[in-house]
Amino acid sequence: MGRFVVFEGGEGSGKSTQARLLAERWGAELTFEPGDTEVGARLRALLLDPATGDLDPRAEALLMAADRAHHVATRIRPALNRGRDVVCDRFVGSSIAYQGYGRGLGAEPVAALSAFATGGLTPDLVVLLSVPADVAGERLAAAGVPDRLEAAGDEFHRQVGEGYLAQAAADPDRWVIVSGTGSIDDVAVRVVEAIDARLPSSASRP
Ligand code: TMP
């Protein structure tokens, strides 16, 4: 089995950039949720298009879970089983933070739904990139028109942040919080140090 590392964080945390850099460093398979399969791309469009408008929170959670189930079955598990390392940009932690905390569905039912979707697959390590709200806001403003979830409001995103911290606190062996402030290179150094400290076998790899 390959190693399975997930990057999590709020909007503008820089996790997609850092996931890409780690995947390049390891020669790993880089993937993301929602949307990194053909079916998933259609679910992503539906989930993120502001034109979708209000979506019942349970429906939103189920669509995220459908994307994850297909993604795990067709991409992540096959890659891990081939011995490939997999770096994934968002996973179960996003559903717990966004649908569990942000939408108020609660962590437990969303975790149970995700466990059904993944068939119990869990990452070896989750890197939570943390940035102050003002830094995230500036990065987001520079990124252009917000999607449906980015536009969900400050209180929603505050709860998402709380949801992430609660998960990291509840599972400190699996989660590591890395500061996402500063340059891309600064953050990348912190990420590599954190991963090498947590996944000892990675230190000897290129
Ligand atoms: P991205 O822009 O980082 O690719 O993420 C897409 C959006 O989807 C982001 O606002 C977080 C949200 N999301 C959820 O709400 N629940 C989930 O389970 C996942 C994977 C993403």
Side-chain angles (χ1 to χ4, degrees):
M1 281 280 272
R3 295 167 291 182
F4 181 27
V5 173
V6 168
F7 281 77
E8 292 283 3
E11 318 293 333
S13 62
K15 64 181 174 40
S16 304
T17 303
Q18 296 300 327
R20 178 175 52 75
L21 291 175
L22 179 68
E24 283 169 5
R25 185 182 161 83
W26 276 4
E29 197 113 348
L30 175 64
T31 186
F32 64 89
E33 293 189 353
D36 207 6
T37 61
E38 270 183 41
V39 170
R42 297 165 79 172
L43 291 170
R44 181 181 175 94
L46 184 64
L47 280 159
L48 300 192
D49 186 349
T52 298
D54 283 344
L55 193 55
D56 175 76
R58 287 169 193 262
E60 186 176 281
L62 286 160
L63 289 169
M64 292 291 182
D67 170 74
R68 180 161 305 127
H70 192 61
H71 185 217
V72 167
T74 63
R75 288 216 48 196
I76 300 180
R77 270 195 203 276
L80 292 172
N81 288 341
R82 286 197 309 272
R84 295 271 291 160
D85 294 326
V86 174
V87 177
C88 190
D89 177 358
R90 295 196 184 280
F91 196 58
V92 171
S94 285
S95 284
I96 293 175
Y98 282 76
Q99 281 68 53
Y101 282 78
R103 297 296 191 210
L105 291 176
E108 280 176 19
V110 175
L113 180 62
S114 274
F116 175 71
T118 61
L121 178 71
T122 49
D124 297 309
L125 187 68
V126 181
V127 179
L128 173 59
L129 283 184
S130 145
V131 291
D134 56 331
V135 175
E138 280 165 26
R139 289 179 184 173
L140 212 54
V145 183
D147 65 34
R148 203 178 62 84
L149 280 146
E150 286 166 351
D154 290 349
E155 179 54 19
F156 174 84
H157 288 289
R158 196 192 58 72
Q159 282 166 351
V160 168
E162 219 172 80
Y164 273 131
L165 293 179
Q167 291 180 77
D171 194 0
D173 289 342
R174 198 181 305 275
W175 285 66
V176 58
I177 302 177
V178 173
S179 165
T181 54
S183 73
I184 289 173
D185 289 348
D186 291 344
V187 180
V189 168
R190 278 180 227 133
V191 166
V192 167
E193 282 172 359
I195 291 177
D196 284 351
R198 298 301 188 99
L199 293 182
S201 61
S202 67
S204 56
R205 302 246 187 151

